[in-house]
Amino acid sequence: MKRNRLGKSELYVSEIGLGCMSLGKDKGKAAALIHEAMDKGINFLDTADLYDEGLNEEIVGEAVRGRRSDVVIATKVGNRWEPGKEGWSWDPSKAYIKSAVKDSLRRLQTDYIDLYQLHGGTLEDPIPETIEAFEELKQEGLIRYYGISSIRPNVIREYAERSNIVSVMSQYSILDRRPEEQVLPLLAEKGISLIARGPVAKGILTEAGAMKEAKGYLDYDKEELAALRAALSEAGENARDLAHRAIRYALANPAVATVIPGASSLEQLLHNIAAGDAEELTAAELEAIRRLSKSSGYEQHR
């Protein structure tokens, strides 16, 4: 599978990675999916301390034991869970980040994290302190690089200007083209990569996605989704699987280093991986997709 450089880092990640959040809690099944992904060329695994209260990190750590050098592990920090208390609280403080990384390292059974990402962020955060925490973790050798997971362009802009982030993880798909307006041009200018999550939009952009249209998606209603899915199936010159078209669309932007569709079954995983063998979208296909889909504003996320 093709690998792309992540920002200006020394990390080269498979263009299709594995979003581990949807692997589930069955350790055996999840490990089998991770092993199959690795055997098929995926080397980028994304998890977070938030997922299943740390269990997801444990699953990833156990699955890659003995093969640690074969993978790029990305995890996240900032959502604080305290035993005995309900829910999570947001904590981007230096003290918490430097404490939380030790728990992630333990769960992942490793002595370093390839990519440590701030799992959110607002303009009200102590941003200089947060950046200092990540920089110190780099100096201490506990993390190799850091990034941010965010959909807020103003927050992304702050970190792009003031820190050494190598990546931004953000939702990006044919149904959610918001990054094209502000984020992707900025990242391209700064040499920062986008990690595209949600490329098949919760499964709507798959052949079986008709069952998922009823709830709508962002500002698309059920009828619009049905019409768009039908039109996308015929867009451009080449007949393509809808999910493969969606994944290749996200990868068509040069600022995107990798996409991370989730997979809860072997069938889903193999289908996602097959998109890596699909031809890149033609200019005609890209033009048709952009004409058919909406380019939404960011106003509600500022």
Side-chain angles (χ1 to χ4, degrees):
M1 184 180 295
K2 180 183 177 184
R3 293 187 179 183
N4 298 317
R5 187 179 183 184
L6 192 68
K8 297 178 181 178
S9 77
E10 296 180 355
L11 303 175
Y12 283 81
V13 297
S14 51
E15 65 175 359
I16 298 173
L18 179 61
C20 295
M21 181 176 69
S22 57
L23 290 176
K25 297 182 179 182
D26 184 322
K27 290 187 176 182
K29 179 182 177 182
L33 289 174
I34 292 172
H35 293 158
E36 185 69 22
M38 294 172 65
D39 291 342
K40 291 293 191 295
I42 287 179
N43 79 329
F44 184 69
L45 306 177
D46 177 75
T47 181
D49 58 1
L50 179 68
Y51 302 158
D52 295 325
E53 298 180 357
L55 177 61
N56 197 258
E57 285 185 327
E58 291 181 9
I59 288 172
V60 171
E62 290 181 17
V64 304
R65 189 167 50 193
R67 301 178 66 180
R68 175 66 181 91
S69 61
D70 296 336
V71 292
V72 173
I73 294 179
T75 191
K76 309 181 192 74
V77 66
N79 293 287
R80 185 171 192 167
W81 176 75
E82 297 180 68
K85 292 187 178 181
E86 186 176 348
W88 297 75
S89 60
W90 177 241
D91 189 350
S93 69
K94 178 179 176 180
Y96 177 65
I97 291 171
K98 297 201 69 176
S99 171
V101 72
K102 297 173 184 177
D103 293 325
S104 286
L105 288 167
R106 173 180 52 78
R107 288 189 290 261
L108 290 165
Q109 300 184 42
T110 184
D111 55 6
Y112 68 95
I113 291 166
D114 296 291
L115 180 67
Y116 205 32
Q117 302 161 101
L118 185 68
H119 202 173
T122 72
L123 292 179
E124 288 70 45
D125 292 345
I127 293 177
E129 177 183 325
T130 302
I131 294 171
E132 188 174 283
F134 285 111
E135 289 291 344
E136 288 186 8
L137 290 176
K138 278 183 63 179
Q139 293 169 10
E140 294 164 10
L142 298 181
I143 67 173
R144 295 181 67 188
Y145 301 97
Y146 65 98
I148 181 172
S149 176
S150 177
I151 59 172
R152 296 181 172 90
N154 285 349
V155 173
I156 293 169
R157 188 176 299 111
E158 286 294 307
Y159 280 90
E161 296 287 350
R162 301 168 63 176
S163 77
N164 293 310
I165 59 171
V166 299
S167 63
V168 170
M169 179 179 293
S170 199
Q171 184 167 289
Y172 180 44
S173 71
I174 292 172
L175 296 184
D176 189 356
R177 293 175 51 206
R178 292 172 296 176
E180 294 175 359
E181 299 175 8
Q182 297 183 39
V183 172
L184 286 168
L186 172 67
L187 299 188
E189 175 189 341
K190 297 289 186 181
I192 299 168
S193 290
L194 187 83
I195 299 169
R197 63 177 177 85
V200 295
K202 296 183 177 180
I204 294 173
L205 296 175
T206 67
E207 297 301 328
M211 299 171 58
K212 301 177 181 292
E213 293 170 359
K215 294 182 179 180
Y217 190 85
L218 295 178
D219 52 353
Y220 287 91
D221 60 28
K222 178 182 178 181
E223 289 72 24
E224 288 175 319
L225 287 175
L228 178 61
R229 278 171 39 81
L232 286 174
S233 296
E234 302 174 0
E237 305 164 355
N238 301 322
R240 290 183 187 267
D241 175 270
L242 182 55
H244 291 178
R245 189 184 297 274
I247 289 172
R248 296 308 318 180
Y249 179 81
L251 286 168
N253 191 291
V256 176
T258 182
V259 299
I260 51 167
S264 57
S265 69
L266 180 60
E267 180 183 12
Q268 288 178 341
L269 174 65
L270 295 177
H271 194 69
N272 292 339
I273 291 172
D277 296 324
E279 293 183 2
E280 295 181 1
L281 299 187
T282 65
E285 286 178 290
L286 289 170
E287 181 182 354
I289 289 169
R290 290 168 183 149
R291 184 177 65 251
L292 292 167
S293 59
K294 299 179 182 180
S295 181
S296 303
Y298 267 102
E299 294 301 319
Q300 72 264 39
H301 296 297
R302 290 177 184 271

